[in-house]
């Protein structure tokens, strides 16, 4: 088996569109049009077809077989679990047996007038001149956004509350799935703060990618090493150490961002959350009380 090349895949996509009169325009989004994205063998083809009637494209046999032998097909608008956007579109995410993947959405042509085109959009075909002139693809739509004072404060508060309340409870109870879920949310707060940190130290005209996948490229080596320490195994002692790394990195980044904008970083709240978590992490599993009279924890 041979993986089809980008030239072959684009020819296939355009051939499908030119042969079907209902398809009036085609655009490609995502990393394949990003001039700054590193090319690799797993880049998807993110394709949008603008059509005069979406209904015929809801029949899988009218679409998927044209592009190859599917390994897996996801029809997101048909799902109850994690459904797609319910705006009249129909979407196929298809993994083909040759390793290629196409995510293709079929939208009515009327949506050209109301659908915003992000900066990572390239027109592949426009039979009727429907699509407005677009600038050359770039990452501008995905640049780090500067924080408002409220956004910054909410991020800090959400992080501290979860770190000092949700996480200690799940850690002491040894409820690994719930604990990992709370840590994943902490990580979202951390990535958001790190984005602002990178912005104020290196400039906001850069993208972190989905879920911060480009963090390593933008963080200083010492900060990246600290971020690596935040990734724990299922061992509870290891998790406790990783949580301290998460806290150190969030506080470091949060202080820097706060000083830059004149926002107040809640250092006392953050320290209290850490002290409480560390206290709870040392409690015996048969403890009958969170605190006894002899405990001395500054919370």
């Amino acid at each position: 088996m041979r993986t089809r090349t980008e030239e072959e895949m684009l020819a296939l996509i355009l051939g499908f569109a030119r042969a079907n009169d209902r398809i009036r325009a085609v655009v490609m989004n995502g990393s394949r049009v990003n001039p700054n994205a590193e090319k690799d063998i797993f880049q998807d083809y993110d394709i949008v077809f603008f059509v005069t009637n979406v209904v015929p494209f809801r029949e899988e046999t009218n679409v998927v077989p044209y592009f190859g032998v599917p390994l897996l097909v996801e029809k997101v608008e048909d799902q109850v679990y994690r459904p797609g956007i319910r705006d009249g579109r129909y979407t196929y995410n298809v993994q083909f047996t040759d390793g290629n993947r196409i995510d293709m959405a079929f939208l009515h042509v009327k949506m050209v007038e109301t659908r915003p085109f992000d900066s990572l959009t390239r027109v592949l075909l426009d039979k009727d001149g429907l699509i407005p002139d677009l600038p050359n693809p770039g990452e501008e739509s995905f640049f780090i956004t500067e924080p408002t004072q409220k956004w910054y404060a909410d991020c800090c508060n959400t992080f501290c509350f979860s770190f000092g309340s949700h996480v200690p409870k799940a850690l002491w109870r040894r409820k690994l799935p719930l604990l990992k879920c709370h840590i994943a949310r902490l990580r979202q707060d951390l990535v958001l703060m790190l984005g602002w940190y990178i912005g104020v130290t290196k400039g906001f005209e850069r993208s972190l990618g989905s879920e911060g996948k480009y963090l390593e490229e933008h963080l200083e080596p010492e900060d990246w090493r600290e971020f690596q320490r935040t990734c724990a195994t299922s061992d509870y002692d290891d998790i406790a150490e990783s949580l301290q790394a998460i806290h150190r990195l969030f506080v470091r980044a949060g202080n820097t961002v706060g000083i830059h904008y004149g926002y107040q970083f809640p250092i006392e709240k953050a320290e209290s959350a850490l002290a409480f978590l560390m206290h709870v992490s040392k409690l015996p599993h048969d403890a009958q009380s969170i605190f006894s009279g002899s405990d001395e924890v500054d919370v």
Side-chain angles (χ1 to χ4, degrees):
M1 182 180 296
R2 181 183 64 85
T3 301
R4 290 165 291 175
T5 66
E6 182 176 76
E7 291 75 17
E8 290 174 303
M9 295 302 294
L10 291 178
L12 196 63
I13 291 163
L14 286 172
F16 179 72
R18 288 178 177 134
N20 194 315
D21 194 53
R22 292 189 179 95
I23 301 174
R24 306 313 302 168
V26 187
V27 301
M28 183 162 66
N29 304 114
S31 66
R32 286 207 176 255
V33 301
N34 185 350
N36 298 321
E38 183 177 349
K39 302 297 183 183
D40 67 33
I41 60 175
F42 282 101
Q43 285 182 299
D44 304 336
Y45 295 86
D46 297 307
I47 306 295
V48 179
F49 296 98
F50 291 97
V51 302
T52 56
N53 186 356
V54 175
V55 174
F57 298 98
R58 291 177 177 269
E59 176 54 54
E60 184 177 330
T61 56
N62 292 340
V63 177
V64 175
Y66 181 92
F67 296 95
V69 180
L71 176 69
L72 299 164
V73 178
E74 183 180 47
K75 297 182 282 189
V76 293
E77 280 75 32
D78 286 350
Q79 297 178 166
V80 174
Y81 177 65
R82 295 180 180 173
I85 302 170
R86 301 292 173 81
D87 61 358
R89 74 181 62 194
Y90 199 75
T91 306
Y92 295 92
N93 298 330
V94 189
Q95 178 70 56
F96 292 96
T97 55
D98 76 333
N100 276 301
R101 172 175 160 177
I102 306 179
D103 294 347
M104 44 189 150
F106 294 86
L107 280 65
H108 196 277
V109 290
K110 291 181 179 179
M111 294 186 69
V112 170
E113 301 173 2
T114 58
R115 179 184 184 274
F117 291 95
D118 66 47
S119 61
L120 288 179
T121 301
R122 188 171 84 201
V123 179
L124 299 184
L125 181 67
D126 189 356
K127 296 178 181 178
D128 308 308
L130 296 171
I131 300 173
D133 289 337
L134 300 174
N136 291 330
E139 296 183 316
E140 292 80 3
S141 297
F142 304 92
F143 284 165
I144 303 165
T145 303
E146 295 192 60
T148 63
Q149 185 169 7
K150 174 64 172 171
W151 194 8
Y152 172 83
D154 286 352
C155 178
C156 292
N157 187 67
T158 299
F159 177 88
C160 290
F161 188 88
S162 183
F163 195 94
S165 184
H166 295 311
V167 171
K169 183 193 300 185
L171 181 64
W172 182 79
R173 287 175 171 171
R174 296 296 196 261
K175 301 300 182 185
L176 188 63
L178 180 60
L179 177 58
K180 287 289 190 176
C181 182
H182 288 313
I183 292 174
R185 291 169 183 162
L186 279 182
R187 192 175 298 282
Q188 291 177 334
D189 301 334
L190 176 60
V191 169
L192 178 60
M193 187 61 75
L194 287 174
W196 295 333
Y197 173 68
I198 290 166
V200 302
T201 57
K202 296 186 175 181
F204 283 88
E205 294 185 351
R206 64 191 71 230
S207 169
L208 297 186
S210 175
E211 305 296 333
K213 67 179 179 180
Y214 298 137
L215 270 175
E216 184 176 4
E217 286 90 328
H218 297 300
L219 287 173
E220 293 298 324
E222 63 184 70
D223 291 326
W224 177 247
R225 286 193 292 271
E226 187 79 319
F227 186 85
Q228 289 177 303
R229 295 185 188 103
T230 71
C231 301
T233 66
S234 59
D235 178 80
Y236 288 102
D237 290 334
D238 187 37
I239 290 172
E241 291 182 9
S242 75
L243 285 165
Q244 293 177 68
I246 289 174
H247 188 275
R248 286 193 301 268
L249 200 48
F250 188 89
V251 170
R252 184 189 308 164
N255 267 316
T256 300
V257 174
I259 290 169
H260 178 84
Y261 288 104
Y263 300 160
Q264 183 65 46
F265 183 77
I267 188 61
E268 292 183 2
K269 185 183 295 184
E271 290 178 347
S272 294
L274 176 62
F276 184 64
L277 182 140
M278 297 312 298
H279 170 77
V280 171
S281 72
K282 295 178 175 61
L283 283 175
H285 300 311
D286 59 351
Q288 298 301 303
S289 176
I290 297 173
F291 289 103
S292 66
S294 61
D295 291 327
E296 295 182 1
V297 177
D298 183 12
V299 296

